[in-house]
Amino acid sequence: MLHLLKLEWLKIQKHSTTQILLILYVIALPTLLLAGKSFNDLPQEFINRNTFYMFPTVWQYLGYIGNWISFFVFGFIAVMLVTTEYQNRTMRQNIITGLQRREYFLSKVYFILAASLVGTLYYVICGLLFGLAHTETLSAAKMMQNTDLIPRYFLMLLSYMTFGLFIGTVIRKTGVSLFLYLAWAFFLERIVRYSFHQNIFPGKSIHFYPVNAASDLVPFNSPLNRMAEEYLEQNNFSLFLSPTEAVITSALYIAVFLFICYRLIQQRDL
């Protein structure tokens, strides 16, 4: 495993776009949360800006910011992880020089697992630093509250990267793959959900789509959203999947996407 991870890291070191994306994640995650300090205090019944940084709510707001950043950063990295190899013929060269197709596939899986773990660790570090610096009365219970978001954050990163890997493996062209990755998330999935699915199977089932399930792992859970969710649930509708539903759905999509990627890598000509 370490050998395959080292091979992927050597490739990443030569890819400036990937390095820029990783630096963007490191800078943007804490910076965008700090931008909340410039907001004027909102009505107390809605939210106070100090809650952005205190335990336990810092995990929610930092996670939501990380949700958006990760969609672009980690998803793009996963797409380019495979498309650049097809375009530069490095996959072909790896196979010729003795790397088995199964090992090539595993090297991608190990990398997205490692990248998701590192991205989650950075989220935890930022959350702890913000929380320790801004929470007046610290307690272990307060610090640990909402930490169930941490494994869900990891699964969210893994979901975006797996989906990006799937798109890149199917399409193989970097530009087209990135466009389709964005188009599916911002337009195509919404069109399918609201223009077709809702008319045929109205109800909560419209939320069980790959990008939506991944984003619902760490949703924006403000007081206003909670009030809206409570009202909608009384009318048999919901804004988000429950954490359990989001975890199970995302895990199933990850397994399906990885299986398809493995089969394509095994069967396609180089």
Side-chain angles (χ1 to χ4, degrees):
M1 184 179 79
L2 292 178
H3 172 65
L4 295 176
L5 270 176
K6 183 179 179 181
L7 288 177
E8 289 302 313
W9 177 246
L10 291 173
K11 296 174 187 176
I12 293 298
Q13 285 181 318
K14 300 177 182 179
H15 201 259
S16 58
T17 305
T18 300
Q19 294 174 6
I20 292 171
L21 286 170
L22 290 173
I23 293 171
L24 175 64
Y25 176 76
V26 170
I27 296 174
L29 186 62
T31 301
L32 290 179
L33 188 67
L34 283 171
K37 287 184 177 290
S38 64
F39 297 163
N40 293 323
D41 283 343
L42 296 170
Q44 189 66 37
E45 63 270 14
F46 175 58
I47 191 173
N48 184 291
R49 65 180 179 180
N50 290 331
T51 60
F52 291 152
Y53 312 103
M54 303 184 323
F55 291 125
T57 49
V58 64
W59 299 116
Q60 297 174 350
Y61 294 108
L62 185 65
Y64 178 71
I65 290 171
N67 192 333
W68 277 97
I69 300 171
S70 301
F71 169 77
F72 290 101
V73 171
F74 288 89
F76 279 23
I77 288 174
V79 169
M80 293 185 291
L81 191 67
V82 62
T83 56
T84 53
E85 295 227 37
Y86 279 114
Q87 293 184 192
N88 297 332
R89 300 281 186 173
T90 49
M91 176 186 175
R92 178 186 179 90
Q93 186 62 37
N94 287 156
I95 302 301
I96 291 174
T97 54
L99 196 69
Q100 297 179 3
R101 290 176 185 250
R102 176 176 171 274
E103 292 176 321
Y104 174 84
F105 168 74
L106 287 176
S107 69
K108 305 303 178 190
V109 175
Y110 293 153
F111 179 82
I112 64 175
L113 283 170
S116 299
L117 185 60
V118 171
T120 303
L121 180 61
Y122 185 66
Y123 160 71
V124 172
I125 292 172
C126 289
L128 287 173
L129 291 177
F130 278 121
L132 291 172
H134 292 87
T135 306
E136 294 182 1
T137 306
L138 282 173
S139 67
K142 187 177 290 186
M143 291 177 63
M144 294 302 295
Q145 188 178 346
N146 290 335
T147 53
D148 61 303
L149 286 166
I150 295 174
R152 283 156 52 193
Y153 191 93
F154 170 79
L155 190 62
M156 177 197 69
L157 295 180
L158 193 59
S159 296
Y160 288 145
M161 295 199 79
T162 305
F163 183 60
L165 189 74
F166 166 73
I167 295 291
T169 303
V170 171
I171 305 300
R172 296 194 287 185
K173 300 291 185 181
T174 302
V176 179
S177 297
L178 289 174
F179 173 78
L180 183 58
Y181 177 81
L182 289 173
W184 177 262
F186 285 103
F187 304 107
L188 299 179
E189 185 171 285
R190 294 173 185 266
I191 290 172
V192 172
R193 288 171 61 200
Y194 293 107
S195 297
F196 298 101
H197 189 127
Q198 190 173 29
N199 292 328
I200 301 172
F201 302 106
K204 196 172 185 178
S205 61
I206 65 169
H207 298 312
F208 290 89
Y209 281 79
V211 174
N212 187 74
S215 65
D216 280 358
L217 287 165
V218 189
F220 183 55
N221 196 21
S222 72
L224 184 62
N225 269 20
R226 286 194 293 271
M227 287 188 290
E229 181 75 6
E230 290 173 3
Y231 172 79
L232 290 171
E233 282 181 351
Q234 294 173 4
N235 294 276
N236 298 318
F237 192 77
S238 179
L239 290 173
F240 310 110
L241 295 175
S242 71
T244 301
E245 290 170 336
V247 166
I248 294 174
T249 304
S250 296
L252 288 173
Y253 276 120
I254 289 170
V256 170
F257 289 149
L258 288 180
F259 175 76
I260 294 173
C261 290
Y262 177 73
R263 297 300 297 174
L264 288 174
I265 290 171
Q266 287 285 346
Q267 296 173 1
R268 272 182 173 168
D269 293 333
L270 300 177

